[in-house]
Structure formats: C-alpha cells, structure tokens
Amino acid sequence: MMESGVPICNICGEQVGLANNNGEVFVACHECNYPVCKTCIDYEIKEGRNTCLRCATPYDENEQESTNHAIVASHPDTAQDAGVHARTVSFVSTVDSEYHDDTGNPIWKNRVESWKEKKNKKKKNQSKAVVQEAAEVPPEQQMEEKPQLADAAEPLSRIIPVPKSQITPYRIVIIVRLIVLCFFFHYRVTHPVESAYPLWFISVFCEIWFAFSWVLDQFPKWSPINRETYLDRLSARYEREGEPCQLAPVDFFVSTVDPMKEPPLITANTVLSILAVDYPVEKVSCYVSDDGGSMLTFESLAETSEFARKWVPFCKKFAIEPRAPEFYFTQKFDYLKDKVQPSFVKERRAMKREYEEYKVRVNALVAKAQKTPEDGWTMADGTPWPGNNPRDHPGMIQVFLGHSGVHDIEGNELPRLVYVSREKRPGYQHHKKAGAENALIRVSAVLTNAPYILNLDCDHYVNNSKAIREAMCFLMDPQVGRDVCYVQFPQRFDGIDKSDRYANRNIVFFDVNMKGLDGIQGPVYVGTGTVFNRQALYGYSPSNLPTIHKSSSSFSCCCRRKKPAKEKDLTEVYREAKREDLNSAIFNLREIENYDDHERSLLISQMSFEKTFGMSSVFIESTLMENGGVPDSANPSTLIREAIHVIGCGYEEKTAWGKEIGWIYGSVTEDILTGFKMQCRGWRSIYCMPLRPAFKGSAPINLSDRLHQVLRWALGSVEIFLSRHCPLWYGFGGGRLKWLQRLAYTNTIVYPFTSLPLIAYCILPAVCLLTGKFIIPTLSNVASILFLGLFLSIIVTSVLELRWSGIGIEDWWRNEQFWVIGGVSAHLFAVFQGFLKMLAGIDTNFTVTTKAADDGEFADLYLFKWTTVLIPPTTILIVNLVGVVAGFSDALNKGYEAWGPLFGKVFFSFWVILHLYPFLKGLMGRQNRTPTIVVLWSVLLASVFSLVWVKINPFVSKDDPSAMVQNCIDMDC
C-alpha cells in the first residue's frame, strides 16, 4: 500500500520517500517542487546533469553536503543570482550594447517583465473593483444585468449545414456516377478498336485520367457547410459600455512592387479603405510593403495620409460603403438612401471635390515619375532617394500616421500607417512576395505586434467595413478560435463584363470548392483577403493539440531494483520534435501556459530561438506574447532601429524563415504552400462569406493577361509537386491532415498535368474526321445504355451541385469553358517550365499583371496581345474546324451511309469548339465586331478546301478499280 501524502517519482514511478534528517517528504527542487526520488537524482548527478529536470534550476552542492546528499534547489534571492539566471538567455542583436546592462541582463526583457507585472496588478485591481461594485449593486439591478451577460456568453457564430434534401441526393449521384464509371472503363478496355488501335489507346488513357481528376475534385465537396456570424454578440462581449474595448488589434499588410503596373491610386484606395474600417482606431495598423523601393509609392502614401485626415471622419460619420473613394464615388446607386443627415449632400459634394484634387496631385506624381532623372530621384530636403537602385538599397521605414500626434480634421486619432521597403542587395535571394510578407511580419511584431494579421493585395480594397469584426467572430471565440490559423474570405471583383467571358470571378471555386473544404479542415489560403493568427505564422502548433510525447528509457542498477526511466531534458525533446516534418513547430503552446516569465526565459535558451527567428532579441520576445502588444515604456527610436534591423537582406540567413515559419518559399504560389504547412501542423481554417463581400479587387480581364495569371498559378502548383512539400508524400507522420483535405491539396498541385491528356483528347475528334477512323466501336444496346447512363450522371451531378451551391448555370458553363482554354494553353506551358526548372535549373520569371484598365468600359477585355501561350488553343481550333469541313465533304462524297458515323465524330469536335468559343472571340477583337475580312476569308478557304478534298478523296486507295469507277460516277465522267 502507498503511504498517503507521499508523491510518486515522475521518473521511476516509485514513492519519493522521506528525507533522512527531519522525516519530511523528500523534495528535490524547492523552486518548482518537481517530485523526483533521491535515487533518480543521484543518478542524474552522476550522469552530469546538475539542474532540475522541470525548471532547469541548478542544484546547490553545499546544500547537498549539509543535508547528507539531499538535493535542494537554490533560490535566486539576490540580485546577483538573478543576473546569473538571466545570462542563460542567449540574445544577440546588432546593437547589443543598447539592449543589455552591465550584468548581461537583457534590458528589453526587464521592460517586458515589469510591463507584465503592472498588467497583472491592473487586472487584479480591476477584478477587486468589479467584486466591490457587484456587492454594492442592489439584487434587483443584478437580475436585470444577467440577460446581457448571457447574451455575451453565447457563441459568436454557428454552422449552417446544407439541407439534407439537397446534399443527400448529391452524394448518392456521386456514388452512382463512380459505379457507372467502373462499368464504362470495363467496357472501354475490353472492347478495343482494332482498326484504330493507337487512337483507342490514347482515348482510354485520357478518359482514365479525367476520371481520376474528377475524383480528386469531387470528394472534397462531400460535406459543404455555410457559416453565420453574430456581430451584436461580439460587441456585447468585447465592447461593453464604460469598459475599455477588448477587441484584438489587427495589423494590415498591403504589398506592392511596381507602381507603373500597380498604379499608386489603386494602392491608395486600398489603404484609405483600411484606415476607415469600422474597428477601434487604436487597434488598427496598416503596413504598406514597397518591394520596388519606389519614391513614387512613398510620395503617394504621403499624399494619401494627408487626404485620410478628411476621408476617415467622413466615412465614419455617415457610415458609407465601400470606404474606398474611387469605388464609392463611381457607384451607380441612390447615395441618399438611408442617409437622413441634412448636411450629408453638402459634405459629400465637398469630399468629392477634395478627392478629385487629391487624384490630380497623385496623377501629377505619376506623370513626373515617367522620366527618371539622370542623377536619380531626390527627396524634398534635397537628399538622394535611398531606393534609386531597386535591386541595391537599404531598408526604409516611415511612420505616416498613428501615435505621432497626427489627427484627423475633427481632432480624433487615426490608425497607424507605416511605409516599409526591405533592404535589397545583389547576391541575396529575396523570394519576391513571400519574402516581403515575412519582412512585414517582423516589422509589425517590433512596432505593434497585433495578434492577428490581415494581408491584402494592393488592388483589393475593403468593401465591407465590418469585415474584421466578421473574422473576429471566429478568431476571438474561445470555443472556435483555439485551433484556427486563418479566416479566408472569398475574392470578388469589379470591372468584369456581365458575361464574364474568361471566368475571372472564379465563382465555382469560391462558392463550391471552398464551401466543401470548410466542412473538412478548412479552405486553402488564396493569397489575399485572409486574417491570420500570428502564432500560426510563427510555426507554433495549436494549443489544443496534445503535448510533445516524452519517451523514457531505463538504466541498469547494481542492486537490480526497478529501473527508473531517464527523462529527457527539454532540448532533447525539442530536437526529437524537429526530426518530424509535422512537429516542425517550435513547441506546443500548451506546454508553456503554466510557465512564469523566468521559466520561459530558460525555455528560450534551450530552444535556441535565435536559430529559428533570427538575431533580434526584441522580435524573439514578441513571439512569446500570445495576445500581442508592446511595452508602454518602449523607446520609439529604439524600436525603429530594431525594425530596420529585422528587414535586412541577410537577416533570414541560417534561420527557419520561409522553411518552417512565415510565408513558405519554394513556389510562386506561396499561398497554397503556406496554408498547407499550417494545416499539416494541426491547424484548421474557416471560410467566411458575409452577405456584403468583404473585399473586392480588380482582375486582368483580357485574354492574354488572364492566361498569364493562370500560367503563374499552374507553375506554382508544378513547383510544389516537384518539391519535398508535395501532399502525396509530405506530412504523414503526425496524422494531423485529414484524408479528404490531403485529397484536395493533391488536386491543387496535379491539375496542370491534366493539360497533356486534354490536348490529346481535343485533337482526337479532328484526327478521326480526317482519317475516317473512330475511337469507339459499333455500339451494342448494352453499350448504348452505359454511355447514356454516364452522360445522365454527369448532367445530374452538375445540376445538384448548382442547387446546393446557389451558383448560376452561366457561371458553371464559363468555368467549364475556361477549364479547357487554360488547360490547353497556360497549364501546358506550366508543366514544361516546371520540369525545365527542376532538370536544367532554368528559373522562369513571370510578369506582374497590370491592375488598371483603359478609359472605356471593359476596354481591356477586347485588347489583344499575342503571346506564345495562345499557340496551342489556336492550333486546336483550326484543326477541328478543318476536320469538320473535311468530314462533311467526305459525307457528301460517299452518300447517306456516311452520315451516321459522321454524327459521333462531329459531336466531339463541336464539344471542343464550344469550349474554346470564348478564346475564339478573344482572337476576333472587340465585342460583336468580328472583322468582315475574317469572315470572307474563312468562307473562301472553307469552300476551296472542300472542293479540293472532294477532288482528292483521300479515304480510298487509287489502286482500287471499284473506287475509281465510283469516283467517275460521282464526277459524271
């Protein structure tokens, strides 16, 4: 029987036992009271480990001798002892003399600790005050307040599953279609076409690949869901009247590169919509990354910050939507609707004049930047602009708005606006957008350190001023937000023609696929319109996962007693975790919840944070603040110097940036890769679709730019497929990625390879028409029923998908058309470029898509730019048109018996032409204005070709007498 009150040793499982002198329970460490027996402690000391296994406090040898080898942990009571403990933290920075005192203790850490102590005291005082106030409030009033508290405690969102009447038939049809496919392929494989064996083999191979691609795309849609948020409950819980606002701060990231291709006015509208967002001013910070180091971007932001002093109060006073001035003033709607203030019309007209004058100033800056001076640009004070060489310049940071004393015209505080241009030097790999985003992570952590980050492209403005509150309904919900790494909003676009000729809106992806993924482990990250949990970007695992498993080993003893397990220290546990891909997170957040500041400092030293996060003590300290924030006593000048340090081009050398933390490098589609790594660690994401679209952007709507955009996405998928992060083999160790989610990620990286069988299948109809062969033998009754069942299952699946998703049939058809257009053009080039990069090391660069259209409405839609990407679909179109003409000519030549086989061949050829019809319109130029000369030449060439084809008649042999007689009869010779 175990003695009551005597703890069990955490190493060997035996009783700790009693001390020799006083008969009390043996205590190995008086600092943390970690229960370990004397035998295990003696062994640990013999092995050379003289510190506590839990808190790493060193044992006092003098204390050991005086207590007959009883181990007692020393207490750091004196200032000197405290300094010894502090020196175990290995902080390195570029300005160590400014961050460490004479004893080696980090000054920044002291500030953080004192700040936390003050914060804890404030919380205790507030809680005492709340208790006293509750005691003074009469019972009747307390009863009245209970319903309000109950409302605040309710969940901030709820899941709305798709009705069973819609989703159940959809699932049944998917299973039926899968069964029909099995019978179909059994028939196709067992019934080859002997007279056209190569064509039959190619067609069967293509059909099998299409079926595999359909499975990858369809099964992640198995359990789609919708979500609903409750903004009133969010306010009731975190914005109580008379109390400080408890909403979490948010750092906005806006990235831009080339102001000539990404006009400053568009970027400025995005920034203005952020500064005017419906969120507490002190909780919003906007960081603009100028990765081109352009003085034009810098000066336009200076103008924008000045205009924001007038625009922000106007937006909040009249609650206008959207809060991007360019898109607000160009809206075609009744702007007096729901505006009851008499002064609204007058102020709106005045604000519109202010905006027009602001546009004139920005456009003047753009016109001035068209011609670069020989000596480079100079700033207003006469000093040279540091970014005159965009590939070789120092890091630059400028705080325009915020706590610097700049207020709006009504005297209210404005959100912080920060211009950032990271350092660029020759010989360094800068990793394009992913590297710029990682630089913003570090800068924002030093200056504001908000727990949540929202990244936007420069052309995506805030269309719904309450979008951040929508995201907070998930991230700040204690039940929902514990394991959420990001909240993804759908992308919506302006400036696209009503018919959406090139499927720029991507309705099927955003309204069908993403809803399906939300029912599994969450949507994929699409690069913009995403609110991140900063801790997830740092590579941490979610707090609700189990702690790192600590394995034990036994050692032998001369007395052959029960072998106590040797517990590994934290460093060894961390190294074991690093060996697994899925445990690449620094450590589980749950492991440090019960540690105080001193114990965390020891943990930092053992985890070697400098090798992971880089040599910045300020940034490393910020990573441990799960709720964000910076000390009130921080010196702004010191923070700016440290911010400049963390955006240096060499800061990421020999660190985990881009490998395990931040935006992940290795692909031009860093968004897919970054989200995939997070979900492999156990995080999940959430898809938020408010009634009013949260963000809107501009899309490249002409054919050439659209195909180059698709080429970039497909190339990134091929790069991921050829990397170590391929979902086919990466991340199986931890089992944290669900199988349907892995299937969805596999689909995102293998879809470009569908271009090869798709091109072959699109050419097959023309080849059949030209040669008189066919890929399908003469159909029996059973085969006819099988083919009919397959076509019906395809149609019913599409109809049911449209029903539960709510999208229109036109959007679905445009998506199908551009799937073929992109597959036979951009996807094909992406596959070849990806393999060239892997085998020959040829890195292909892509051109940044132009964000601005010409003056006329949809003028860019009809702009034709010839590129090599257009060659394959053009060739397929010509070949199929020639095949149709040849097929009809042959049928006319042979008579009625040839019309039956012709029907099947022409059907497949028309299938190809219909899918490529938007591409054909793009080649023709302006809408509904096909050039007359093109029509005339087409008719003439078709007529001449038909006559020549009838004369030659290549389907019969010239040595066949009967054929020659038949020819003479046909020609009346």
Side-chain angles (χ1 to χ4, degrees):
M1 293 290 293
M2 295 177 58
E3 297 180 10
S4 60
V6 179
I8 302 299
C9 176
N10 278 11
I11 296 181
C12 64
E14 298 288 342
Q15 293 183 5
V16 170
L18 305 177
N20 295 335
N21 296 336
N22 50 18
E24 296 180 357
V25 176
F26 174 77
V27 178
C29 176
H30 287 281
E31 183 69 23
C32 64
N33 294 327
Y34 189 57
V36 181
C37 67
K38 181 176 179 299
T39 304
C40 293
I41 288 297
D42 290 338
Y43 179 81
E44 293 295 314
I45 295 176
K46 183 179 179 182
E47 292 293 319
R49 288 182 286 273
N50 298 319
T51 58
C52 175
L53 301 177
R54 183 178 186 180
C55 66
T57 303
Y59 299 128
D60 191 340
E61 296 180 358
N62 297 329
E63 190 76 16
Q64 295 175 21
E65 295 176 358
S66 63
T67 57
N68 193 16
H69 300 289
I71 310 300
V72 181
S74 62
H75 295 267
D77 295 329
T78 64
Q80 184 177 358
D81 293 332
V84 172
H85 282 277
R87 279 196 294 272
T88 61
V89 184
S90 176
F91 287 122
V92 180
S93 180
T94 57
V95 282
D96 289 331
S97 60
E98 297 183 13
Y99 295 118
H100 293 77
D101 55 20
D102 296 335
T103 62
N105 193 26
I107 297 175
W108 179 263
K109 177 173 173 52
N110 293 338
R111 291 175 179 171
V112 173
E113 290 176 353
S114 62
W115 169 65
K116 288 184 177 181
E117 289 177 2
K118 293 178 182 179
K119 194 174 182 180
N120 292 332
K121 288 180 181 179
K122 282 184 178 180
K123 288 183 178 180
K124 291 181 180 179
N125 295 335
Q126 289 177 358
S127 61
K128 290 180 181 179
V130 169
V131 173
Q132 292 177 359
E133 290 176 1
E136 295 174 358
V137 174
E140 296 81 4
Q141 188 174 350
Q142 291 183 5
M143 294 295 292
E144 294 176 359
E145 292 178 355
K146 283 184 179 180
Q148 298 180 358
L149 296 176
D151 292 340
E154 292 181 354
L156 304 180
S157 64
R158 72 184 180 102
I159 295 176
I160 305 177
V162 177
K164 291 184 178 180
S165 60
Q166 297 179 3
I167 197 64
T168 302
Y170 178 68
R171 293 171 177 171
I172 293 174
V173 172
I174 290 177
I175 300 300
V176 171
R177 182 173 172 180
L178 197 61
I179 295 173
V180 172
L181 277 173
C182 294
F183 284 104
F184 171 79
F185 286 123
H186 178 267
Y187 171 80
R188 293 285 282 132
V189 172
T190 56
H191 292 77
V193 182
E194 301 295 341
S195 60
Y197 193 85
L199 297 179
W200 167 84
F201 179 80
I202 293 174
S203 65
V204 171
F205 174 80
C206 295
E207 290 162 0
I208 292 175
W209 180 267
F210 294 152
F212 170 73
S213 177
W214 172 79
V215 170
L216 289 180
D217 182 66
Q218 202 70 39
F219 276 89
K221 307 173 187 176
W222 188 259
S223 55
I225 61 172
N226 298 297
R227 295 182 185 270
E228 185 180 23
T229 57
Y230 303 103
L231 301 182
D232 53 343
R233 296 179 184 177
L234 179 74
S235 298
R237 180 178 299 183
Y238 296 108
E239 292 182 295
R240 296 178 181 175
E241 188 175 356
E243 298 181 9
C245 178
Q246 299 298 321
L247 289 174
V250 180
D251 288 339
F252 289 76
F253 292 174
V254 179
S255 56
T256 181
V257 181
D258 188 347
M260 295 302 170
K261 295 180 179 179
E262 299 167 330
L265 194 60
I266 289 183
T267 304
N269 271 270
T270 301
V271 171
L272 289 169
S273 68
I274 293 173
L275 298 178
V277 74
D278 183 8
Y279 208 69
V281 172
E282 67 278 5
K283 307 285 185 178
V284 176
S285 299
C286 178
Y287 293 84
V288 180
S289 171
D290 177 19
D291 218 30
S294 172
M295 186 173 173
L296 173 58
T297 304
F298 179 85
E299 290 185 333
S300 65
L301 273 185
E303 291 286 350
T304 303
S305 64
E306 185 63 27
F307 177 71
R309 299 179 60 245
K310 306 170 185 176
W311 174 251
V312 172
F314 170 76
C315 292
K316 296 186 175 181
K317 181 178 180 180
F318 299 107
I320 66 170
E321 296 284 0
R323 301 191 175 180
E326 181 68 23
F327 301 94
Y328 170 70
F329 288 123
T330 56
Q331 285 185 122
K332 297 178 181 179
F333 74 108
D334 182 12
Y335 63 85
L336 293 176
K337 186 179 180 180
D338 300 328
K339 299 295 185 294
V340 296
Q341 296 92 333
S343 61
F344 172 68
V345 175
K346 182 179 179 180
E347 292 193 32
R348 184 183 185 275
R349 290 174 180 171
M351 184 54 60
K352 190 172 183 179
R353 286 195 299 270
E354 293 281 353
Y355 178 63
E356 294 298 331
E357 294 174 1
Y358 161 75
K359 286 176 63 176
V360 169
R361 294 194 296 270
V362 174
N363 290 331
L365 293 174
V366 175
K368 179 183 175 182
Q370 297 295 327
K371 186 177 180 180
T372 305
E374 295 182 0
D375 298 332
W377 298 104
T378 56
M379 293 184 288
D381 58 357
T383 58
W385 171 248
N388 278 319
N389 187 345
R391 295 181 178 84
D392 187 3
H393 65 81
M396 296 176 283
I397 295 177
Q398 175 66 45
V399 180
F400 287 107
L401 300 174
H403 301 293
S404 60
V406 179
H407 295 80
D408 62 26
I409 57 175
E410 296 181 357
N412 300 318
E413 186 179 348
L414 289 168
R416 183 182 275 106
L417 175 60
V418 184
Y419 168 87
V420 179
S421 181
R422 58 181 173 143
E423 183 184 13
K424 293 286 188 70
R425 299 298 181 193
Y428 286 91
Q429 177 60 262
H430 299 104
H431 303 289
K432 300 176 182 176
K433 179 183 176 181
E437 297 286 352
N438 285 337
L440 288 182
I441 294 178
R442 298 190 293 270
V443 168
S444 62
V446 172
L447 298 182
T448 52
N449 196 32
Y452 301 109
I453 294 170
L454 190 152
N455 83 297
L456 289 172
D457 288 343
C458 65
D459 63 325
H460 276 70
Y461 64 91
V462 180
N463 182 66
N464 184 350
S465 61
K466 297 184 182 295
I468 312 306
R469 295 177 180 270
E470 297 275 355
M472 292 302 116
C473 287
F474 302 106
L475 294 170
M476 296 190 68
D477 192 319
Q479 299 300 323
V480 178
R482 292 178 299 173
D483 59 345
V484 175
C485 55
Y486 59 83
V487 175
Q488 179 65 62
F489 291 90
Q491 291 186 21
R492 303 299 188 211
F493 300 97
D494 288 318
I496 298 177
D497 64 309
K498 185 178 180 180
S499 63
D500 192 13
R501 181 187 294 181
Y502 306 125
N504 281 282
R505 293 189 177 94
N506 285 327
I507 294 295
V508 173
F509 175 76
F510 287 112
D511 288 27
V512 180
N513 298 47
M514 296 287 266
K515 285 183 180 179
L517 293 178
D518 199 17
I520 309 173
Q521 200 171 339
V524 298
Y525 168 42
V526 298
T528 183
T530 314
V531 184
F532 284 97
N533 184 337
R534 187 184 284 267
Q535 296 293 321
L537 286 170
Y538 286 158
Y540 293 105
S541 296
S543 58
N544 62 343
L545 286 181
T547 57
I548 298 175
H549 176 69
K550 299 180 180 181
S551 59
S552 60
S553 59
S554 59
F555 62 91
S556 59
C557 181
C558 59
C559 59
R560 296 186 180 275
R561 61 184 294 275
K562 184 177 179 180
K563 300 178 182 180
K566 180 181 72 173
E567 182 168 319
K568 299 181 180 180
D569 58 24
L570 291 174
T571 305
E572 294 176 4
V573 173
Y574 171 66
R575 287 174 181 171
E576 284 188 355
K578 287 290 289 182
R579 292 190 188 105
E580 298 184 37
D581 286 335
L582 294 182
N583 285 336
S584 59
I586 309 307
F587 51 83
N588 195 309
L589 286 178
R590 188 175 175 182
E591 295 182 7
I592 64 172
E593 286 180 355
N594 298 324
Y595 286 86
D596 57 24
D597 293 338
H598 172 68
E599 291 170 331
R600 290 190 183 193
S601 67
L602 297 175
L603 193 62
I604 292 173
S605 177
Q606 294 175 355
M607 295 300 182
S608 301
F609 269 26
E610 295 91 346
K611 295 181 180 179
T612 302
F613 292 112
M615 297 298 188
S616 172
S617 60
V618 178
F619 176 75
I620 291 175
E621 289 287 355
S622 70
T623 63
L624 289 179
M625 300 177 186
E626 294 99 5
N627 298 322
V630 294
D632 296 333
S633 59
N635 186 354
S637 61
T638 303
L639 294 181
I640 292 294
R641 284 197 296 271
E642 190 66 15
I644 291 291
H645 167 58
V646 298
I647 61 173
C649 57
Y651 182 84
E652 295 182 357
E653 294 293 320
K654 299 181 180 179
T655 66
W657 284 102
K659 302 171 186 174
E660 303 297 343
I661 62 176
W663 271 258
I664 306 302
Y665 305 148
S667 170
V668 293
T669 53
E670 70 288 331
D671 44 9
I672 296 292
L673 197 54
T674 301
F676 173 66
K677 291 275 286 188
M678 290 181 184
Q679 294 188 340
C680 281
R681 296 188 185 105
W683 293 94
R684 67 187 180 98
S685 55
I686 282 179
Y687 196 50
C688 182
M689 296 182 64
L691 294 178
R692 180 179 179 85
F695 310 99
K696 280 191 174 182
S698 57
I701 60 175
N702 72 66
L703 180 60
S704 303
D705 287 346
R706 173 68 167 141
L707 288 178
H708 276 288
Q709 183 188 58
V710 174
L711 171 62
R712 174 184 175 273
W713 295 343
L715 178 59
S717 296
V718 174
E719 289 174 343
I720 296 175
F721 177 81
L722 300 175
S723 71
R724 72 182 186 94
H725 292 116
C726 178
L728 292 174
W729 50 73
Y730 177 82
F732 282 93
R736 298 174 183 175
L737 191 68
K738 296 183 179 181
W739 279 101
L740 285 180
Q741 193 78 9
R742 185 178 298 278
L743 203 65
Y745 274 111
T746 302
N747 185 43
T748 62
I749 63 155
V750 301
Y751 76 88
F753 296 96
T754 306
S755 60
L756 300 175
L758 184 60
I759 285 182
Y761 211 74
C762 287
I763 294 178
L764 277 177
V767 175
C768 292
L769 287 168
L770 292 172
T771 60
K773 309 296 183 181
F774 202 37
I775 58 176
I776 300 175
T778 303
L779 297 179
S780 62
N781 292 334
V782 176
S784 300
I785 295 174
L786 192 59
F787 274 81
L788 181 62
L790 178 61
F791 282 113
L792 286 178
S793 65
I794 293 173
I795 294 172
V796 174
T797 304
S798 302
V799 170
L800 293 176
E801 189 173 281
L802 295 177
R803 185 184 175 204
W804 67 254
S805 64
I807 67 174
I809 189 171
E810 184 179 6
D811 293 318
W812 175 84
W813 174 239
R814 288 289 182 240
N815 180 79
E816 291 296 311
Q817 287 180 313
F818 202 79
W819 175 74
V820 176
I821 295 173
V824 299
S825 56
H827 298 173
L828 178 68
F829 277 75
V831 171
F832 283 109
Q833 289 182 11
F835 278 101
L836 280 175
K837 182 177 180 180
M838 181 190 71
L839 299 176
I842 301 175
D843 193 4
T844 54
N845 296 322
F846 65 92
T847 304
V848 179
T849 307
T850 304
K851 305 297 183 183
D854 296 332
D855 294 336
E857 187 178 14
F858 310 131
D860 201 34
L861 174 67
Y862 317 115
L863 182 63
F864 182 76
K865 303 176 183 177
W866 179 261
T867 64
T868 54
V869 180
L870 303 178
I871 294 177
T874 305
T875 304
I876 291 174
L877 262 176
I878 294 174
V879 169
N880 276 276
L881 289 173
V882 170
V884 170
V885 173
F888 277 103
S889 300
D890 180 63
L892 290 171
N893 188 31
K894 286 187 174 180
Y896 292 106
E897 68 276 3
W899 288 94
L902 177 67
F903 175 77
K905 303 172 187 177
V906 172
F907 172 80
F908 285 107
S909 190
F910 272 126
W911 179 90
V912 175
I913 295 172
L914 283 176
H915 279 77
L916 293 177
Y917 178 69
F919 176 83
L920 181 61
K921 289 190 70 175
L923 293 180
M924 295 300 180
R926 297 195 59 83
Q927 187 179 27
N928 299 326
R929 289 185 59 185
T930 303
T932 306
I933 190 65
V934 174
V935 177
L936 293 177
W937 273 104
S938 300
V939 174
L940 179 62
L941 290 176
S943 303
V944 172
F945 186 82
S946 300
L947 293 174
V948 172
W949 192 267
V950 171
K951 179 66 178 176
I952 296 175
N953 196 8
F955 293 101
V956 296
S957 174
K958 301 302 180 183
D959 299 330
D960 188 357
S962 61
M964 295 182 66
V965 171
Q966 181 65 34
N967 285 340
C968 290
I969 295 174
D970 293 339
M971 299 293 292
D972 294 330
C973 57

